[in-house]
Amino acid sequence: MKYRLSFANLNLLTNDIIEVIIDDGVVFSLEMMEEYEQFLVEHFKHDFAILVNRVYSYSYSYEVQLSIASIEQVKAIAIVNYSEQSKFSSAQLIKVRSIDNWNLKEFSGVEMGWQQAFNWLQQELVTLKVT
């Protein structure tokens, strides 16, 4: 299923994996984060994973960097980067939130990373269910 937020497309890939594609040029604000997290809380009452598909160039406000992905049911995050700028932006977010010890892995979209990211998320969710 496909969903549209005011700033992004969300694709439900499986019952427990959602793909997020944020629009080009967006500065991800607190208001956007609230809209995004409200959607996630309404659609997932169980553990799930997020595949961030960074097809476009966008950035996060500092306030968002401090609080994004704090929903307890998020068990794994895969980020697919297609450019050095995207990779740098992802690294900045990961650095700011390093204390959270996210279950996160980055992939290169140039090297078939989307499929690798999807496969990794599926495996992470299976591992969580087994343990």
Side-chain angles (χ1 to χ4, degrees):
M1 296 198 85
K2 296 179 184 263
Y3 300 93
R4 176 74 192 157
L5 300 181
S6 65
F7 61 93
N9 289 309
L10 304 179
N11 301 314
L12 189 58
L13 303 175
T14 69
N15 286 336
D16 49 11
I17 299 177
I18 187 104
E19 176 185 34
V20 179
I21 303 172
I22 296 177
D23 297 340
D24 194 30
V26 165
V27 176
F28 199 98
S29 68
L30 280 176
E31 294 79 16
M32 292 173 185
M33 186 185 74
E34 288 172 8
E35 179 184 358
Y36 170 64
E37 290 188 344
Q38 180 179 350
F39 173 89
L40 295 176
V41 168
E42 288 174 4
H43 286 81
F44 295 100
K45 306 296 184 205
H46 57 281
D47 293 345
F48 68 100
I50 301 171
L51 193 158
V52 179
N53 194 354
R54 290 194 59 125
V55 176
Y56 303 112
S57 178
Y58 60 88
S59 60
Y60 303 93
S61 72
Y62 184 69
E63 295 82 12
V64 168
Q65 290 180 38
L66 296 176
S67 57
I68 196 165
S70 58
I71 298 171
E72 186 177 326
Q73 290 87 356
V74 176
K75 298 304 177 187
I77 302 169
I79 301 174
V80 181
N81 293 305
Y82 295 86
S83 68
E84 287 302 314
Q85 175 61 31
S86 172
K87 192 174 178 179
F88 176 78
S89 180
S90 295
Q92 290 290 94
L93 177 62
I94 293 165
K95 182 178 177 182
V96 168
R97 298 297 296 276
S98 62
I99 195 164
D100 295 312
N101 203 20
W102 285 340
N103 182 17
L104 181 142
K105 190 169 181 180
E106 291 183 89
F107 299 86
S108 171
V110 179
E111 299 169 4
M112 303 300 288
W114 189 96
Q115 189 63 54
Q116 294 171 1
F118 180 72
N119 293 344
W120 179 76
L121 289 172
Q122 286 184 309
Q123 185 58 48
E124 289 301 298
L125 290 170
V126 166
T127 300
L128 286 171
K129 289 176 184 173
V130 170
T131 55

